[in-house]
């Protein structure tokens, strides 16, 4: 099925199942420990692998002696680049997954020790003797900022509208400020983990991966075997946040180890390797310039961002939202990419907008203060209904102002004290802040297979993944709505490359796109079932387990009385995304208390208002948003991968040193979803919401801290050492 015109009325609009707050159908399995994650898959006679990471950040291995390790108790094999055979490089990895002799970054995998037990593999790994020739590397973005270059990617090129320089120079009120965000880790609970098994020349990999087809293709390309010879299975994933979008070293090494010992091998990255071996969100330096009339109308807006990555890497696209969020006739965005020899930078929840809004939305507050204008009013008067760079291109829906006004009323914004440092609660300085939320709505081609058996059971098969987002449930809701059966009559099977290729989980496109693929397959199944029953498919209604048309009614089970019905289809998209700008919007409100003596910050209240199309399952969507708000709070107050600039690695490479929010850090979080549908997006009339929830949170926290203390911090995270010297007198 191809989606080329905006959706009209369809069976999803019945909202008998879709749109209802529904418990996750995988919840009981996860809460009782019966959901098998990758490392827990039961595979007979499995051996254990332990990854050895490089001890330098840049240089070469001059020698690697594995003789002692091979003689250690229980050891079956030691895999290195010397004996792994010829390996290619996948499409989605910047660095090689198995290093040697060249080393591209610290903790790049250089060996796998395979043994009968995990403990034996770990002990033997300490016996691998590696000698290096170390080279001088580049690890400090600020030092190489001036050498950064315009990226090759067309989407990352400089963009200009009007005369930014002239308009900014002439503006009566202007801001020119620089902000920084640090490197951040995905820090998900489940590590990168895989079990590999070969049957002849065919590989099966039970793994933790968000994008099954991407991983399958990259594994085949890396090993130099046909894609049809690789099967990836990933039914349950313990968090990813973008860190599991791509094939990682543990999966490749498990496959190589299993090939070497001719039995299944299971490998999990130890936590320190997760942070230095895998990907992270790159640090940014962002310069924002805004010029406005004295009445508050933006006349010039410019956003420049610098980030770094390994050679061949990509920039952190922190200027994306600035191209679309606010009006202004004269505009400029630039990205510059520096070469850094740190571990690979790549996607982390809301890449681009998450760090970009941490800067832009503080700048908007600073500009409002210069104008002596309320921050919400300043945002509202600079709203736009069209793409500012292509004024004939309207937004499909844009309820941005409604988000701000709804949130302001609910949060009590009218009680805000505009002058910082004026509200106290005992020892606490109290302030509230606001920030806009923005994330583009992306849709991806997605397929599904749907079966109907003689008992009326509807089974959905798709390689879509559930990374804790609720994919199982919204896919079941979609099939139940389309086929007119209760939710307990739907079985959903996910995360297997033997199933039709889906959109996968990433970029907040997964929910909308994967359910649209199930919708397309169910349309086919409805047509086939109606034909089997002798009914006109165009008139057939599916409800309460029956199919009705022309005054006749039959049980749905009768359609499959002579055998199971099986259909398959894929939802593809035309050019509606070119005709309309599709985006999601929101507003974040935060209240903080800052200890007047110590500078300790505590979040007291949080509210998110979201406009993201039809909400398919409000319960799961709320969970997504509050989780994202929590990540945003962490980004604002504590998360920071600290770099050893001599050794070129992240020092705090575990969950003891890399601080993330815990329950005591987060108050009750309120989420409001505005009632809207977007027929331009898909037949589901939904959009993504899982990443919108993090966008802007960090800035709302920073703005609240300023309102509480009068101290403006432009370098995240906002820790007490950056506040204490400038705090008001106790």
């Amino acid at each position: 099925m191809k989606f080329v015109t905006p959706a009209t009325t369809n069976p999803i609009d019945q909202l008998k199942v879709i749109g209802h707050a529904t418990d996750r159908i995988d919840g009981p399995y996860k809460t009782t420990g019966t959901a098998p994650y990758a490392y827990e898959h039961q595979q007979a006679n499995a051996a254990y692998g332990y990854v050895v990471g490089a001890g330098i950040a840049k240089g070469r291995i001059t020698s690697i002696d594995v003789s002692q390790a091979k003689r250690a108790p229980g050891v079956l094999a030691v895999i290195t680049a010397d004996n792994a055979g010829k390996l290619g490089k996948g499409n989605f990895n910047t660095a090689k997954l198995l290093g040697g002799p060249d080393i591209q970054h610290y903790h790049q995998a250089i060996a796998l020790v395979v043994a009968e037990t995990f403990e034996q593999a770990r002990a033997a790994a300490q016996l691998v003797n590696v000698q290096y020739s170390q080279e001088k590397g580049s690890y400090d973005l600020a030092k190489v900022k001036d050498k950064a270059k315009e990226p090759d990617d067309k989407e990352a090129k400089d963009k200009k509208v009007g005369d930014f320089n002239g308009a900014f120079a002439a503006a009566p009120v202007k801001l020119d400020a620089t902000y920084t965000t640090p490197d951040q880790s995905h820090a998900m609970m489940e590590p990168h983990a895989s079990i590999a098994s070969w049957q002849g020349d065919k590989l099966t990999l039970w793994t933790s991966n968000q994008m099954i087809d991407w991983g399958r293709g990259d594994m085949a390309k890396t090993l130099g075997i046909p894609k049809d010879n690789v099967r990836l299975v990933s039914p349950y994933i313990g968090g990813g946040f973008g860190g599991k979008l791509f094939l990682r070293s543990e999966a490749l090494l498990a496959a190589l180890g299993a090939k070497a010992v001719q039995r299944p091998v299971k490998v999990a990255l130890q936590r320190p390797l997760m942070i230095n071996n895998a990907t992270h969100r790159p640090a940014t330096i962002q310069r924002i310039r805004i010029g406005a009339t004295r009445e508050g109308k933006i006349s010039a807006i410019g956003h420049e961002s610098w980030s770094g990555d390994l050679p061949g890497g990509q920039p952190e696209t922190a200027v994306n939202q600035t191209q679309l969020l606010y009006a202004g006739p004269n505009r400029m965005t630039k990205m510059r990419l520096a070469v850094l020899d740190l571990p690979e930078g790549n996607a982390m929840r809301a890449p681009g907008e998450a760090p970009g809004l941490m800067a832009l939305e503080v700048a908007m507050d600073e500009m409002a203060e210069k104008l002596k204008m309320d921050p919400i009013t300043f945002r509202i008067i600079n709203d736009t209904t069209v793409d500012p760079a292509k004024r004939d291109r309207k937004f499909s829906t844009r309820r941005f102002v409604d988000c701000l006004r709804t949130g302001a009323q609910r949060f009590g914004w009218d009680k805000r004290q505009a002058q910082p440092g004026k509200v106290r609660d005992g020892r606490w300085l109290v302030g509230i802040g606001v920030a806009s939320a923005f994330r583009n709505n992306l849709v991806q081609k997605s397929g599904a297979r749907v079966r109907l058996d003689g008992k009326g059971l509807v089974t959905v098969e798709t390689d879509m993944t559930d990374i804790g987002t609720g994919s199982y449930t919204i896919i079941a809701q979609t099939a139940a709505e389309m086929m007119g059966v209760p939710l307990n009559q739907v079985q959903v099977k996910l995360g297997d490359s033997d199933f039709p290729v889906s959109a996968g989980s990433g970029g907040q496109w997964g929910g909308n796109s994967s359910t649209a693929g199930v919708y397309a397959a169910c349309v086919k199944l409805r047509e086939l079932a109606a034909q089997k029953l002798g009914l006109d498919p165009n008139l057939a209604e599916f409800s309460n387990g029956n199919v009705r048309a022309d005054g006749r009614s039959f049980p749905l089970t009768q359609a499959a009385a002579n055998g199971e019905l099986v259909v398959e289809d894929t939802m593809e998209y035309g050019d509606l995304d070119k005709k309309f700008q599709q985006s999601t919007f929101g507003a974040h409100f935060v209240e903080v208390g800052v200890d007047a003596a110590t500078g300790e910050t505590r979040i007291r209240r949080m509210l998110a208002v979201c406009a993201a199309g039809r909400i398919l399952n409000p319960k799961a969507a709320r969970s997504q948003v509050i989780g994202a708000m929590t990540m945003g709070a962490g980004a604002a107050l504590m998360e920071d991968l600290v770099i050893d600039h001599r050794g070129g690695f992240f020092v705090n490479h575990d969950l003891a040193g890399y601080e993330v929010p815990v329950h005591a850090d987060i108050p009750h979080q309120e989420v409001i979803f505005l009632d809207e549908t977007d027929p331009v997006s898909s037949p589901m009339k939904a959009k993504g919401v899982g990443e919108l929830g993090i966008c802007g949170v960090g800035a709302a926290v920073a703005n609240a801290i300023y309102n509480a203390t009068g101290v403006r911090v432009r370098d995240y995270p906002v820790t007490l050492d950056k506040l204490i010297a400038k705090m008001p007198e106790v």
Side-chain angles (χ1 to χ4, degrees):
M1 179 181 290
K2 193 156 189 178
F3 186 68
V4 294
T5 57
T8 55
T9 302
N10 66 52
I12 294 296
D13 295 323
Q14 299 173 103
L15 300 182
K16 294 179 179 178
V17 188
I18 287 290
H20 292 258
T22 305
D23 289 346
R24 279 167 46 178
I25 59 178
D26 56 321
Y29 305 116
K30 291 182 174 178
T31 54
T32 58
T34 53
Y37 290 88
Y39 200 74
E40 300 166 333
H41 177 78
Q42 297 301 309
Q43 191 70 15
N45 198 33
Y48 294 78
Y50 194 89
V51 179
V52 178
I56 64 170
K58 186 177 183 180
R60 288 176 61 84
I61 296 173
T62 56
S63 68
I64 181 165
D65 183 356
V66 301
S67 57
Q68 278 189 282
K70 291 173 76 171
R71 291 195 298 268
V75 170
L76 302 170
V78 180
I79 310 300
T80 69
D82 292 336
N83 62 7
K86 183 180 179 182
L87 297 175
K89 190 178 81 67
N91 297 326
F92 296 101
N93 301 119
T94 304
K96 293 191 296 183
L97 297 180
L98 178 58
D102 293 326
I103 299 301
Q104 295 167 282
H105 63 84
Y106 187 80
H107 271 176
Q108 183 174 22
I110 57 172
L112 179 77
V113 177
V114 183
E116 294 287 355
T117 70
F118 170 79
E119 291 79 10
Q120 289 172 331
R122 179 178 60 183
Q126 315 309 313
L127 303 176
V128 176
N129 190 332
V130 188
Q131 300 298 316
Y132 303 97
S133 172
Q134 193 167 357
E135 298 175 15
K136 185 178 180 181
S138 177
Y139 313 118
D140 189 331
L141 177 61
K143 285 186 177 180
V144 297
K145 172 176 172 279
D146 293 340
K147 298 178 183 177
K149 297 180 180 179
E150 185 176 5
D152 294 329
D153 184 12
K154 180 182 177 183
E155 294 301 315
K157 294 293 185 184
D158 297 354
K159 293 180 173 60
K160 297 178 182 178
V161 177
D163 177 14
F164 167 77
N165 289 330
F168 181 75
V173 184
K174 60 184 71 138
L175 171 78
D176 185 346
T178 298
Y179 308 83
T180 65
T181 62
D183 297 284
Q184 296 171 350
S185 173
H186 304 86
M188 55 277 190
M189 290 178 66
E190 181 200 23
H192 298 271
S194 296
I195 301 176
S197 178
W198 291 85
Q199 297 293 325
D201 61 355
K202 295 189 181 297
L203 169 67
T204 300
L205 192 72
W206 293 270
T207 189
S208 188
N209 190 290
Q210 297 174 224
M211 302 290 293
I212 298 296
D213 195 57
W214 289 5
R216 183 189 185 203
D218 265 16
M219 178 62 84
K221 185 174 180 181
T222 304
L223 294 175
I225 63 177
K227 188 176 178 180
D228 288 344
N229 285 11
V230 179
R231 180 186 177 201
L232 255 64
V233 185
S234 193
Y236 296 100
I237 299 169
F241 310 118
K244 295 174 181 172
L245 284 170
F246 317 118
L247 188 74
R248 300 310 313 166
S249 61
E250 102 291 341
L252 173 63
L253 290 170
L256 293 172
K259 191 78 167 177
V261 302
Q262 292 295 293
R263 57 191 274 197
V265 169
K266 57 196 307 181
V267 181
L269 286 184
Q270 52 269 41
R271 185 67 61 172
L273 260 70
M274 284 181 62
I275 289 179
N276 278 296
N277 172 278
T279 62
H280 69 284
R281 193 198 299 279
T284 68
I285 299 170
Q286 302 178 51
R287 181 188 183 192
I288 296 177
R289 286 176 281 174
I290 303 173
T293 66
R294 297 197 185 281
E295 295 72 35
K297 282 284 190 179
I298 292 175
S299 56
I301 184 165
H303 193 162
E304 299 166 85
S305 176
W306 290 261
S307 60
D309 202 356
L310 293 165
Q314 298 294 320
E316 179 68 28
T317 55
V319 305
N320 282 358
Q321 70 290 320
T322 310
Q323 296 165 5
L324 293 161
L325 186 49
Y326 298 114
N330 303 286
R331 321 175 65 82
M332 173 274 294
T333 57
K334 293 180 181 179
M335 286 180 272
R336 293 294 180 264
L337 179 62
V339 172
L340 292 177
D341 299 303
L342 292 169
E344 179 181 341
N346 215 311
M348 179 172 157
R349 196 174 198 166
E353 285 94 337
L357 283 162
M358 289 172 76
L360 177 64
E361 287 303 290
V362 172
M364 289 294 287
D365 256 42
E366 292 196 57
M367 192 65 181
E369 186 175 46
K370 283 177 175 284
L371 290 159
K372 297 181 173 54
M373 184 176 287
D374 179 84
I376 291 179
T377 302
F378 180 49
R379 288 169 170 87
I380 288 174
I381 66 173
N382 286 290
D383 185 35
T384 175
T385 59
V386 297
D387 178 342
K390 303 172 184 175
R391 299 194 57 79
D392 59 342
R393 185 169 176 250
K394 293 184 178 181
F395 285 88
S396 57
T397 62
R398 184 180 169 112
R399 297 190 64 189
F400 171 51
V401 170
D402 290 340
C403 291
L404 289 167
R405 287 178 171 154
T406 301
Q409 189 277 327
R410 186 63 167 255
F411 206 69
W413 186 261
D414 59 335
K415 299 179 179 64
R416 171 182 178 266
Q417 172 59 250
Q419 187 174 351
K422 293 299 181 182
V423 179
R424 287 183 178 251
D425 180 8
R427 75 187 202 197
W428 299 96
L429 298 166
V430 179
I432 63 175
V434 68
S436 305
F438 174 93
R439 179 78 167 131
N440 276 330
N441 179 58
L442 306 173
V443 289
Q444 298 283 338
K445 177 180 175 180
S446 194
R449 183 184 302 126
V450 185
R451 303 174 182 271
L452 173 66
D453 70 13
K455 296 180 180 179
L457 180 69
V458 176
T459 300
V460 181
E461 299 171 342
T462 170
D463 83 354
M464 179 60 185
T465 50
D466 191 323
I467 58 175
T469 45
S471 302
Y472 278 103
T473 309
I474 58 173
I475 285 173
Q477 289 177 270
T478 302
E481 192 80 76
M482 291 295 292
M483 301 310 300
V485 299
L487 204 59
N488 61 11
Q489 281 292 100
V490 179
Q491 180 182 40
V492 178
K493 297 180 179 181
L494 299 182
D496 191 327
S497 62
D498 280 354
F499 300 153
V501 176
S502 73
S505 297
Q508 78 169 21
W509 64 62
N512 183 25
S513 298
S514 66
T515 53
V518 173
Y519 169 95
C522 285
V523 168
K524 264 194 174 180
L525 183 57
R526 286 165 60 101
E527 292 172 352
L528 180 58
Q531 290 168 1
K532 291 284 185 181
L533 296 170
L535 300 176
D536 184 346
N538 296 316
L539 301 176
E541 296 179 6
F542 290 69
S543 180
N544 299 320
N546 296 305
V547 188
R548 291 188 295 271
D550 297 325
R552 295 185 295 158
S553 179
F554 300 93
L556 179 61
T557 54
Q558 191 171 324
N562 295 323
E564 183 182 51
L565 306 185
V566 183
V567 299
E568 186 176 321
D569 203 0
T570 296
M571 180 62 72
E572 301 181 63
Y573 295 87
D575 62 353
L576 287 176
D577 61 330
K578 295 180 175 61
K579 295 177 181 177
F580 297 89
Q581 174 57 43
Q582 297 182 38
S583 304
T584 59
F585 299 90
H588 288 288
F589 294 80
V590 172
E591 179 183 289
V592 302
V594 182
D595 190 298
T598 69
E600 175 192 2
T601 298
R602 288 287 180 183
I603 298 176
R604 298 158 67 109
R605 287 192 294 148
M606 300 182 82
L607 166 68
V609 184
C610 303
R614 172 176 283 153
I615 303 302
L616 303 178
N617 181 352
K619 192 170 192 176
R622 179 184 178 274
S623 291
Q624 281 292 285
V625 174
I626 64 173
M629 292 162 73
T630 302
M631 289 184 77
L637 295 176
M638 61 193 72
E639 295 191 42
D640 182 2
L641 283 173
V642 179
I643 302 167
D644 183 320
H645 290 111
R646 300 161 302 170
F649 62 90
F650 299 124
V651 178
N652 50 336
H653 51 197
D654 56 35
L655 291 180
Y658 184 80
E659 296 184 2
V660 296
V662 296
H663 286 293
D665 295 313
I666 304 298
H668 175 72
Q669 298 157 304
E670 187 177 2
V671 179
I672 298 172
F673 294 113
L674 298 188
D675 185 14
E676 75 164 8
T677 58
D678 190 343
V680 171
S681 176
S682 80
M684 304 302 293
K685 302 175 185 174
K687 293 180 180 178
V689 73
E691 297 188 341
L692 179 68
I694 194 175
C695 296
V697 177
V701 174
N703 289 336
I705 291 171
Y706 176 74
N707 183 242
T709 65
V711 181
R712 178 66 74 187
V713 179
R714 296 183 178 130
D715 300 304
Y716 290 97
V718 186
T719 48
L720 60 86
D721 55 299
K722 298 171 185 174
L723 295 171
I724 195 72
K726 302 174 184 176
M727 292 278 286
E729 291 295 324
V730 177

